[in-house]
Amino acid sequence: MTATSPKRVTISDVARRAGVSPSAVSHAFNGRPNVSETTAARIRAAADELNWRPNYASRKVSGQGGRSLGLVIARSRDTFGRDPFFMRLLAGLTEPLADLGWSLSLTLVQADEEEQVYRQWWGEQRVDAFLLVDVRHDDPRLPLVEQLGAPAVLLGAPVDDAVPAVTVADESAFATVLEHLGGLGHRRVARVTDAPGLAHTRARDQRFSHAGAQQGIATSFAAWDPTADDPVAELLARLGGVTAIVVDSESIAAQIVAHAPEVGVQVPAQLSVVAWEDSWVSSLVRPRLTALDAPVEESARTAVALLERLVRGEAAESQTVSGRRLVVRDSTAPAPRSPSQHHRDPDRDSEEAP
Amino acid sequence: MTATSPKRVTISDVARRAGVSPSAVSHAFNGRPNVSETTAARIRAAADELNWRPNYASRKVSGQGGRSLGLVIARSRDTFGRDPFFMRLLAGLTEPLADLGWSLSLTLVQADEEEQVYRQWWGEQRVDAFLLVDVRHDDPRLPLVEQLGAPAVLLGAPVDDAVPAVTVADESAFATVLEHLGGLGHRRVARVTDAPGLAHTRARDQRFSHAGAQQGIATSFAAWDPTADDPVAELLARLGGVTAIVVDSESIAAQIVAHAPEVGVQVPAQLSVVAWEDSWVSSLVRPRLTALDAPVEESARTAVALLERLVRGEAAESQTVSGRRLVVRDSTAPAPRSPSQHHRDPDRDSEEAP
DNA sequence: TTGTAGGCGTTATCAC
DNA sequence: GTGATAACGCCTACAA
């Protein structure tokens, strides 16, 4: 019944109730050794009774900053919404942040407003650090956060020494995939990508080619074209003699296995499909997707730890988390005997490896 | 190269650069009529050059609060992650919030920490309002936000006069669904629910029964048991002579249509399935789900508008948004001739009614 | 161990 | 139309 509506309770109220000075309360709540345990207990009791907690804004004003992480996602509602990775990321960030007493400020922006939002949030001191996702080649956000002096960590391959990265160890991922596919008799495998601008794309392309070369598997590339009338049909038509694909996005892989039979391609009988990234969606579609699971939650936890260090002014080095693993389900099977493709003539739209 | 690192630029710096007093800058930035247009322009220019924006924490301290919405979701990572509704909600909140200059503070908590987080965020004045989702029967958060004096809006059916609700108009939803199913010859329909504690469950149950009674369709209820070895098989076995189900969760509906054939039930030939809520997932699974799309983005926008009013101290009334509509896809089809459940004649392609 | 004074960056008040 | 001055709530010296 303590009506808190008229006036919010402040540190002085707590001090008065505990019979001490405001600074004593501050000391007690900041773990300073300047206050006896007995008075500290009395102070905590008073604060509890009054339901008081140090005002977040006030402590920031007085220099005790650093409790809010900004996550700015430059995606359309649609491409955000259909990427289960983000759900895992958000859920994964939340726990380590809570452990630190941080909160997460989230927003979606259009690409052309992106820098503006970083500037604004940092300028307003609304956030104390940024987590960068979907890092593109020559991403303007890297020089930007440096210029602003904002602590930042990126998810993905390291790009710039000034911005530490949390990377999922991928060196052997393609080797594992191609080993799996090779063992099933596949000799021509394509990598399907959708977002060519992303910074990690090139590195992955190279690793893919490299792993193929090592295992005697011919590798090629195909771009997903979301603007096509029927992107799946369009993609499949371009595949040439390829008998297996590794798709850089789980939701695209899911669309492919769901729709392929309807355009005359049986998965996995005629075409094997592997998804890069895993989530509940992979076990939802039929055939269930063979997928490369990534330790998203651990990446999130690592990123938060790095960020926290940066905010405290310590140096932070890029980190690698391992744990990517191939989850074999039903979308991969032995290669078809005849390498002839699916009711379509050879196409040379798919380029060879660099 | 303007090294902002050593000292952050303040309103005084801007004032000095523009040759005015700090208060003039404040006035200019808060749209007060106390400053001439020419000086205002000069001030804005100076602020831009210095890349300055009013410090969020400072303005809160000086009473200009109200720019952060708290969203506390009491779900496990898993049940959060596999509910596409949340992606739509987050994406939908983001835009109207940005228009207002608000940000969104998001966290996931375990049920037993829930109230604690509300207390903490409000006590710290980290957020200025709450959006309540997954409102349960006798939800402790309602008295809590009232006691705290925190502005709050809930998504779902109105529960308490003190907390305005944004409700999706559902009166005719079941009528529409049952009309569709009735037109296909279904005479026994069950409603499948998973979270019995949610506040809207009971109201929906009643509407479902009512709509069934009006249309001469026998209605029943079945609970989804996620702890079963095979929840889908277990559910289907319990269905009796039912030929169609309306599932209260899209992801469960998706699981059902994906898995049913594997336990001997053909969808839609033997069983029609309608999902309550719609997203990209509904068109991903095969057969594609017939679903009741809800105007999530509009709900989000409405909730934000209500919240903004509450924070300004104005009264806000519960609002209803309409636009729930039946999207007929492939998971509903004519009822099987014999009401005996599983095992009947070949498929018939989907058709729709209204 | 405790209290006092000053400052953080902004806004509101009220003279000028 | 403009500019001092006093809050706002907290934290950090420093003094008692």
Side-chain angles (χ1 to χ4, degrees):
Chain A
M1 273 301 120
T2 40
T4 47
S5 0
K7 200 110 182 71
R8 296 188 81 139
V9 27
T10 76
I11 198 171
S12 314
D13 300 324
V14 178
R16 204 170 310 128
R17 196 176 226 287
V20 296
S21 77
S23 48
V25 179
S26 177
H27 290 159
F29 264 78
N30 293 46
R32 302 303 194 67
N34 309 339
V35 63
S36 73
E37 182 46 46
T38 52
T39 41
R42 190 151 37 92
I43 289 170
R44 278 194 299 271
D48 276 0
E49 289 161 25
L50 262 38
N51 217 319
W52 175 87
R53 277 174 188 73
N55 181 311
Y56 174 74
S58 296
R59 53 190 326 186
K60 279 207 69 166
V61 169
S62 60
Q64 192 89 170
R67 303 224 153 306
S68 173
L69 172 62
L71 179 58
V72 180
I73 301 178
R75 292 208 177 197
S76 68
R77 276 213 294 250
D78 196 55
T79 51
F80 169 73
R82 60 202 316 151
D83 197 337
F85 167 78
F86 282 107
M87 296 295 268
R88 288 186 67 181
L89 177 62
L90 292 177
L93 283 171
T94 245
E95 193 178 304
L97 285 175
D99 291 345
L100 259 51
W102 284 46
S103 58
L104 175 69
S105 289
L106 171 73
T107 197
L108 259 63
V109 295
Q110 299 185 313
D112 57 337
E113 308 169 326
E114 187 179 33
E115 292 186 58
Q116 177 59 19
V117 172
Y118 281 88
R119 284 209 145 81
Q120 183 182 334
W121 281 15
W122 181 253
E124 292 179 340
Q125 302 199 39
R126 200 186 268 276
V127 299
D128 308 288
F130 290 105
L131 181 64
L132 272 30
V133 297
D134 282 341
V135 176
R136 298 175 294 277
H137 202 59
D138 285 330
D139 198 304
R141 292 175 295 172
L142 298 177
L144 177 58
V145 294
E146 284 180 60
Q147 183 212 329
L148 296 175
V153 165
L154 68 86
L155 247 40
V159 176
D160 186 325
D161 284 345
V163 179
V166 174
T167 314
V168 176
D170 280 343
E171 297 78 29
S172 58
F174 283 119
T176 308
V177 173
L178 291 181
E179 209 169 286
H180 169 62
L181 292 174
L184 292 168
H186 295 273
R187 289 292 166 263
R188 300 192 55 183
V189 179
R191 175 169 139 77
V192 176
T193 54
D194 64 327
L198 294 188
H200 53 57
T201 300
R202 184 193 293 177
R204 284 191 195 158
D205 283 352
Q206 288 173 350
R207 290 210 175 112
F208 179 61
S209 303
H210 184 67
Q214 285 208 320
Q215 306 200 18
I217 291 180
T219 54
S220 55
F221 298 89
W224 169 259
D225 177 11
T227 66
D229 277 348
D230 185 336
V232 173
E234 194 266 347
L235 174 78
L236 295 179
R238 267 192 287 123
L239 245 33
V242 158
T243 62
I245 56 178
V246 183
V247 185
D248 217 6
S249 145
E250 188 194 6
S251 93
I252 292 177
Q255 282 179 255
I256 292 174
V257 301
H259 191 49
E262 296 160 359
V263 296
V265 177
Q266 301 305 315
V267 176
Q270 292 171 271
L271 181 72
S272 285
V273 177
V274 177
W276 184 276
E277 298 297 327
D278 188 29
S279 83
W280 64 289
V281 170
S282 282
S283 10
L284 179 63
V285 290
R286 296 294 185 276
R288 292 178 179 86
L289 277 169
T290 292
L292 275 158
D293 186 35
V296 177
E297 290 75 18
E298 198 194 332
S299 299
R301 190 171 292 279
T302 307
V304 169
L306 244 41
L307 251 356
E308 192 266 345
R309 224 172 292 160
L310 284 176
V311 169
R312 285 211 323 265
E314 295 182 17
E317 300 264 302
S318 291
Q319 301 238 352
T320 298
V321 303
S322 57
R324 195 177 277 281
R325 67 186 214 290
L326 185 66
V327 182
V328 177
R329 298 200 183 90
D330 312 326
S331 65
T332 46
R337 293 234 193 337
S338 105
S340 85
Q341 53 267 35
H342 347 100
H343 68 53
R344 194 74 174 83
D345 54 339
D347 215 33
R348 61 247 183 223
D349 206 20
S350 48
E351 309 148 24
E352 271 307 313
Chain B
M1 274 302 122
T2 39
T4 46
S5 1
K7 201 108 183 71
R8 297 188 80 139
V9 28
T10 76
I11 198 171
S12 314
D13 300 325
V14 178
R16 204 171 310 126
R17 197 176 225 288
V20 297
S21 78
S23 38
V25 178
S26 177
H27 290 158
F29 264 77
N30 291 43
R32 302 305 190 67
N34 308 340
V35 63
S36 71
E37 181 46 46
T38 53
T39 41
R42 190 151 37 91
I43 289 170
R44 278 195 299 271
D48 276 0
E49 289 162 25
L50 263 38
N51 216 318
W52 174 88
R53 278 173 187 74
N55 182 313
Y56 174 74
S58 296
R59 47 190 333 186
K60 278 207 71 164
V61 169
S62 64
Q64 191 88 172
R67 303 223 152 310
S68 173
L69 171 62
L71 179 57
V72 180
I73 301 178
R75 293 208 176 195
S76 67
R77 278 212 294 251
D78 196 54
T79 51
F80 169 73
R82 60 200 317 149
D83 197 337
F85 167 79
F86 282 107
M87 295 295 268
R88 288 187 66 181
L89 177 63
L90 292 177
L93 284 171
T94 245
E95 193 179 304
L97 285 175
D99 290 345
L100 259 53
W102 284 46
S103 58
L104 175 69
S105 288
L106 171 73
T107 196
L108 261 64
V109 296
Q110 299 186 314
D112 57 336
E113 308 170 327
E114 187 179 31
E115 294 186 58
Q116 178 59 21
V117 173
Y118 281 88
R119 285 210 145 81
Q120 183 181 333
W121 281 15
W122 181 252
E124 291 180 342
Q125 300 198 41
R126 200 185 268 277
V127 299
D128 308 288
F130 289 106
L131 180 64
L132 271 31
V133 297
D134 282 342
V135 176
R136 298 174 294 277
H137 203 59
D138 286 330
D139 198 304
R141 291 175 294 172
L142 298 177
L144 177 58
V145 295
E146 284 180 61
Q147 183 213 330
L148 296 175
V153 164
L154 68 84
L155 248 40
V159 175
D160 186 325
D161 284 346
V163 179
V166 174
T167 314
V168 176
D170 279 342
E171 299 77 29
S172 58
F174 283 120
T176 308
V177 172
L178 291 181
E179 208 170 288
H180 168 62
L181 292 173
L184 292 168
H186 295 274
R187 288 292 166 264
R188 300 191 57 184
V189 179
R191 175 168 138 80
V192 176
T193 54
D194 64 327
L198 294 188
H200 53 57
T201 300
R202 184 191 293 175
R204 283 192 195 159
D205 284 351
Q206 288 172 350
R207 291 210 174 115
F208 179 61
S209 304
H210 184 68
Q214 285 207 318
Q215 306 200 18
I217 291 179
T219 55
S220 56
F221 297 89
W224 170 259
D225 177 10
T227 67
D229 277 349
D230 186 335
V232 172
E234 194 266 346
L235 175 78
L236 295 179
R238 268 191 286 121
L239 245 32
V242 159
T243 61
I245 56 178
V246 183
V247 185
D248 217 8
S249 144
E250 188 195 6
S251 95
I252 291 177
Q255 282 179 254
I256 292 174
V257 302
H259 191 49
E262 296 160 358
V263 296
V265 177
Q266 300 306 315
V267 176
Q270 294 171 272
L271 181 72
S272 285
V273 177
V274 177
W276 184 276
E277 298 298 328
D278 188 29
S279 83
W280 64 289
V281 170
S282 282
S283 11
L284 180 63
V285 290
R286 296 296 185 274
R288 293 177 178 86
L289 277 169
T290 292
L292 275 157
D293 186 35
V296 177
E297 290 75 18
E298 198 194 332
S299 300
R301 190 171 291 279
T302 307
V304 169
L306 244 41
L307 250 357
E308 193 266 347
R309 224 172 293 159
L310 284 175
V311 169
R312 285 210 325 263
E314 294 182 19
E317 301 263 303
S318 290
Q319 301 237 352
T320 298
V321 303
S322 57
R324 196 178 274 283
R325 69 187 214 289
L326 184 66
V327 181
V328 177
R329 298 201 183 89
D330 312 327
S331 66
T332 45
R337 289 214 207 344
S338 106
S340 83
Q341 55 265 45
H342 323 136
H343 217 257
R344 255 321 263 160
D345 56 74
D347 49 11
R348 189 152 276 169
D349 245 335
S350 59
E351 258 319 305
E352 40 73 48

